Amino acid sequence: GLAQGGAMAAGVDPESLEWLYVDRTGQEFGPFRQEKMRAWFGQGFFPIGDELLVRLQSWQRHVAVKDLFPDGQAVFEGPPRAPPEAADAPGGGREDRQGHGHRRHHRSRRSRSRS
């Protein structure tokens, strides 16, 4: 489905975006093409689902997939809704603005020891 126009944001082809993601041990992997991330998501490769933290290479911080593709938008389809703070240098206390604070509770899963 690369043929549809309209999916381009500011001249960037979303399919050419390259993503890095953090796994449950806190390691970062990537960059991977958007189409690969979409395929992995479709196969259930990420047990954490849309809580997965990802970033583009130009971003300073990771953002949950559900914040990038909100409102039922298909994950990794088309351009992400990039939060303005993602590309900034880390700033003071802005992340609690839209109720992002609850995200931290999910991290306790990480303490599982690696096999």
Side-chain angles (χ1 to χ4, degrees), residues 17-37:
L17 293 175
E18 303 214 306
W19 294 91
L20 300 101
Y21 73 88
V22 181
D23 81 351
R24 65 181 76 174
T25 69
Q27 274 187 286
E28 187 172 77
F29 294 90
F32 299 107
R33 294 285 296 264
Q34 174 150 317
E35 58 194 330
K36 189 172 264 296
M37 295 294 288

Side-chain angles (χ1 to χ4, degrees), residues 24-25 47-49 51 105-113:
R24 65 181 76 174
T25 69
I48 192 174
E51 295 279 348
H105 300 306
H106 298 289
R107 293 210 177 144
S108 51
R109 276 184 228 165
R110 259 193 212 163
S111 52
R112 207 176 291 169
S113 58

